[in-house]
Amino acid sequence: MITNIDSLFKNADPIIAGILNDALSEKEISADDGLKLFKVQGIDFHLVGLVADELRKRRVGDIVSYVVNRNINFTNVCIKQCGFCAFSRDFREEEGYFLPNEEIVRRAKEAYQLGATEVCIQAGLPPDMEGDLYEKICRDIKKEIPDIHIHGFSPEEILYGATRSNVSIEEFLKRMKEAGVNTLPGTSAEILDQKLRDKISPGRISVENWETVIKSAHKMGINTTSTMMFGHVETLEDRVKHIVRLREIQKETGGFTEFVPLNFIHTEAPMYKHQLHEGIRQGGSGNDVLLTHAVSRIMLNNSIDNLQMSWVKEGQKMSQLLLMWGANDFGGTLINESISTSAGSEYGQLLKPKEIRRMVKEIGRIPAERNTHYEILKKFDGEEEIEDKLDNVTDKQFGSYVELIKINKYNYKNPRKQ
Ligand SMILES: C[S@@+](CC[C@H](N)C(=O)[O-])C[C@H]1O[C@@H](n2cnc3c(N)ncnc32)[C@H](O)[C@@H]1O
Ligand SMILES: Nc1c(NC[C@H](O)[C@H](O)[C@H](O)CO)[nH]c(=O)[nH]c1=O
Ligand SMILES: N[C@@H](Cc1ccc(O)cc1)C(=O)O
Ligand code: SF4
């Protein structure tokens, strides 16, 4: 516990010390003050991290949670062309793939047998999609594996499903819930500013619709995660406003389980590769990523308990540091990862449970497996180790995104050519 605050802050900028004292008194930090924390220099930088770590400890203790899950990105064919997305393919392209439902179910079952409690399902938006495709996917999975948690279908996908089914967002969510969806990923948020979205991803779900999907889901008991993609063309003002927006939603509904800052992977992202925007950045730098997590913890601490860092984007050692800068969740084992991988991330697609536990123990914290609702399933607070089935596999056996697009094993049947 931090006890002698005065001595700690004696060399700090008095304004920053004031904001950090407010944070330690668990007062709500405004967008203006959050912005000041983003602009710190020298010793103040470290103090922001220290305070975020203290708040994390008070809020959720020393447990670092993780979920045993599998991503199923069932198609990369997409009608949209978001500037940051290297994953999607136009329907005319050879590299388009589309996993049939039997393959989706097979992957879910294989993951379940290896100990997964969750499948995370997200994909491109295929043209001429049958309105009930997402419902069918959920039904087929739940028929075979009733116990697996379906975390799937971002607000962008929910809106697309509703549009293709010709029903309201509320009605479509109701159908998805009946079909077996349990929670939604809070992706397609990026930065919730309409002008910025129109610039980097014209035609993407609007801020208004994103909020409608999220609030409607929360109101019918479907929780969601929340995210922010940063390190591209947004300003620091955009980031703090985004965080405040999520905080306001949370005050109204209480339906966010976690917040995940997603660092922009630039290498293969079309808007970086083709330099579509002046001043476009290469994702957040090491110090920026640390600050982004710490400021998120400080600003959201009274409303969203869990702050997840993304090992796929940050790598394993940076992830360890982020756990000391406000984060308390390691995310998932993932098994298959296509979105960051296609954009150029090099941190692999499977993190084994024993590796996660080792990394958590190395920084003196307590690893624990959780479910998607953040209920702790197994805590590893002693010396004892168990072998998870997933610890004895090689990631090669699960197939990769590169294989899918190169071999094009699951051919995409272009509905406009039939
Ligand atoms: C690729 S989409 C998949 C689901 C659905 N098509 C959608 O757009 O909501 C999921 C999220 O991945 C993230 N993402 C995509 N490309 C990225 C990149 N180059 N760097 C970091 N995050 C990225 C974005 O936050 C996006 O909302
Ligand atoms: N699926 C990806 C995640 N995170 C998902 C989480 O593991 C999990 O589903 C969530 O915690 C639900 O509670 N993060 C990534 O960066 N990339 C993914 O593909
Ligand atoms: N972490 C997100 C999912 C996600 C998937 C793919 C990404 O590239 C980023 C995020 C969630 O569980 O809500
Ligand atoms: S981010 Fe989603 S909607 Fe946008 S192009 Fe990629 S897959 Fe399509």
Side-chain angles (χ1 to χ4, degrees), residues 24-221:
L24 286 171
S25 317
E26 295 180 31
K27 291 190 187 141
E28 187 169 281
I29 302 304
S30 67
D32 279 350
D33 284 351
L35 186 59
K36 289 183 188 125
L37 297 183
F38 261 119
K39 293 181 175 168
V40 287
Q41 286 177 345
I43 188 174
D44 296 351
F45 171 80
H46 300 279
L47 291 177
V48 172
L50 211 58
V51 168
D53 193 48
E54 169 70 12
L55 292 177
R56 180 274 307 159
K57 195 177 168 74
R58 287 189 204 164
R59 179 72 41 189
V60 291
D62 278 340
I63 284 184
V64 173
S65 50
Y66 63 90
V67 61
V68 181
N69 70 349
R70 181 175 202 173
N71 273 354
I72 308 178
N73 303 126
F74 63 89
T75 183
N76 62 348
V77 181
C78 190
I79 55 164
K80 308 227 167 176
Q81 291 171 337
C82 303
F84 45 81
C85 180
F87 164 73
S88 79
R89 293 291 181 273
D90 181 87
F91 69 87
R92 300 172 198 86
E93 289 178 82
E94 291 300 316
E95 290 182 338
Y97 71 84
F98 198 109
L99 306 191
N101 278 18
E102 306 81 71
E103 173 61 13
I104 300 176
V105 173
R106 191 198 65 75
R107 288 181 179 218
K109 207 191 248 174
E110 183 179 57
Y112 182 71
Q113 284 162 353
L114 287 168
T117 60
E118 173 198 289
V119 280
C120 178
I121 303 184
Q122 299 194 91
L125 314 177
D128 296 348
M129 184 182 84
E130 301 273 347
D132 61 357
L133 174 71
Y134 298 157
E135 287 167 77
K136 280 196 178 133
I137 292 175
C138 292
R139 284 220 171 78
D140 287 353
I141 292 175
K142 286 284 162 125
K143 201 168 110 207
E144 294 273 325
I145 326 148
D147 292 343
I148 205 145
H149 181 114
I150 302 184
H151 177 66
F153 311 100
S154 72
E156 181 80 80
E157 292 170 293
I158 294 295
L159 176 66
Y160 190 52
T163 309
R164 297 294 307 166
S165 307
N166 220 352
V167 297
S168 67
I169 288 170
E170 285 78 9
E171 172 58 25
F172 190 71
L173 281 168
K174 209 170 116 226
R175 291 182 186 185
M176 289 297 285
K177 192 174 178 183
E178 275 163 19
V181 89
N182 299 101
T183 51
L184 309 183
T187 41
S188 61
E190 327 313 353
I191 294 282
L192 291 167
D193 176 88
Q194 198 53 48
K195 267 204 185 131
L196 187 137
R197 300 169 85 74
D198 291 345
K199 183 172 161 186
I200 64 171
S201 48
R204 193 157 190 49
I205 184 172
S206 65
V207 174
E208 198 186 340
N209 280 334
W210 191 90
E211 287 200 357
T212 303
V213 174
I214 290 289
K215 285 184 188 171
S216 310
H218 291 178
K219 282 173 191 162
M220 62 177 75

Side-chain angles (χ1 to χ4, degrees), residues 69 71 73 118 120 122 151 184-187 224-227 258 260 262 308 310 312-313 331 334 337-340 370 372:
N69 70 349
N71 273 354
N73 303 126
E118 173 198 289
C120 178
Q122 299 194 91
H151 177 66
L184 309 183
T187 41
T224 74
T225 60
S226 60
T227 62
E258 73 200 26
V260 199
L262 300 170
Q308 179 184 122
S310 172
V312 203
K313 291 173 171 71
L334 300 187
E337 209 289 327
S338 317
I339 293 158
S340 302
R370 64 163 171 92
T372 316

Side-chain angles (χ1 to χ4, degrees), residues 131 244 280 289 309 312 346 385:
V244 167
I280 186 167
V289 175
M309 44 68 192
V312 203
E346 288 166 2
E385 250 307 330

